[in-house]
C-alpha cells in the first residue's frame, strides 16, 4: 500500500483576502460612526458651555450694553477654545433684567446657536451640517446698581 502525500486544496485561495476586505470595511464604518458621535457630542457640549458662560459673563457686567458685548465675546472664545468651528453662530442675549429695580431678583438669559459642518466625516446618511442650540441663565446681583 502506497501512502499519497496530502494534496492541497486550491479552492480556498484568496478567501483570507476576501474576509479581511469585508471585515476591514465594517471596521472603517464603525470607526467613522464613533468619530461622528464624538464630534456631535463635543459640539453640543461646547454650545451648552458657551451659553452658560455667556450668561454668567453678562450677569457680572454693569450695564446692559456691556453685558451684550461680554456675552458675545465669551461665547465666541468658549467655542474657539473647544475647537468648534461654527459655519454660522447666533448669540441672543436678553438683558431686560438690568431694568429691574434694585432689590428685585433678575437674571440674564442667553440663547446660542451654532451650525457645524460635518461633510468631512464621509459617513453615509449623516447630514452635511447640524445646528446645535443651548440656553443659559444667570442671576444678576439684586443689590448691585444696574444701568
Amino acid at each position: 500500500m502506497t501512502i499519497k502525500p496530502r494534496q492541497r486544496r486550491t479552492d480556498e485561495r484568496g478567501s483570507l483576502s476576501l474576509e479581511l476586505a469585508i471585515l476591514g470595511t465594517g471596521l472603517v464604518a464603525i470607526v467613522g460612526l464613533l468619530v461622528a458621535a464624538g464630534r456631535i457630542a463635543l459640539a453640543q457640549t461646547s454650545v451648552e458651555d458657551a451659553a452658560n458662560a455667556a450668561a454668567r459673563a453678562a450677569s457680572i457686567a454693569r450695564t446692559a450694553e456691556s453685558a451684550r458685548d461680554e456675552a458675545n465675546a465669551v461665547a465666541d472664545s468658549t467655542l474657539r477654545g473647544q475647537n468648534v468651528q461654527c459655519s454660522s453662530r447666533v448669540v441672543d442675549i436678553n438683558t431686560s433684567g438690568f431694568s429691574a429695580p434694585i432689590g428685585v431678583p433678575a437674571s440674564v438669559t442667553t440663547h446660542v446657536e451654532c451650525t457645524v459642518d460635518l461633510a468631512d466625516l464621509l459617513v453615509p446618511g449623516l447630514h452635511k451640517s447640524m445646528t446645535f442650540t443651548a440656553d443659559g441663565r444667570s442671576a444678576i446681583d439684586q443689590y448691585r446698581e444696574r444701568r
Side-chain angles (χ1 to χ4, degrees):
M1 179 155 151
T2 317
I3 301 176
K4 288 185 169 181
R6 290 182 117 183
Q7 291 186 356
R8 274 181 66 163
R9 295 180 66 186
T10 58
D11 59 342
E12 290 187 22
R13 284 187 162 210
S15 65
L16 182 61
S17 298
L18 180 61
E19 290 171 7
L20 286 176
I22 292 170
L23 290 175
T25 304
L27 186 61
V28 167
I30 290 171
V31 169
L33 287 173
L34 289 173
V35 169
R39 290 254 313 261
I40 290 169
L42 173 68
Q44 181 61 47
T45 303
S46 298
V47 170
E48 290 171 3
D49 288 348
N52 290 324
R56 179 69 181 137
S59 72
I60 295 172
R62 293 288 182 189
T63 65
E65 294 80 30
S66 65
R68 281 188 216 94
D69 294 340
E70 285 294 319
N72 275 311
V74 168
D76 189 44
S77 68
T78 301
L79 291 171
R80 269 190 285 117
Q82 296 190 16
N83 203 23
V84 174
Q85 271 81 38
C86 300
S87 57
S88 70
R89 179 182 64 87
V90 176
V91 180
D92 290 326
I93 302 110
N94 181 351
T95 58
S96 61
F98 279 92
S99 62
I102 293 178
V104 174
S107 63
V108 174
T109 58
T110 59
H111 177 79
V112 177
E113 285 184 19
C114 174
T115 302
V116 178
D117 184 27
L118 300 173
D120 60 331
L121 293 177
L122 300 175
V123 176
L126 187 67
H127 297 287
K128 298 207 182 289
S129 66
M130 293 181 77
T131 301
F132 301 94
T133 62
D135 297 318
R137 180 184 200 112
S138 185
I140 300 172
D141 184 0
Q142 63 183 343
Y143 298 108
R144 189 183 70 193
E145 180 183 14
R146 303 171 190 161
R147 291 183 237 150

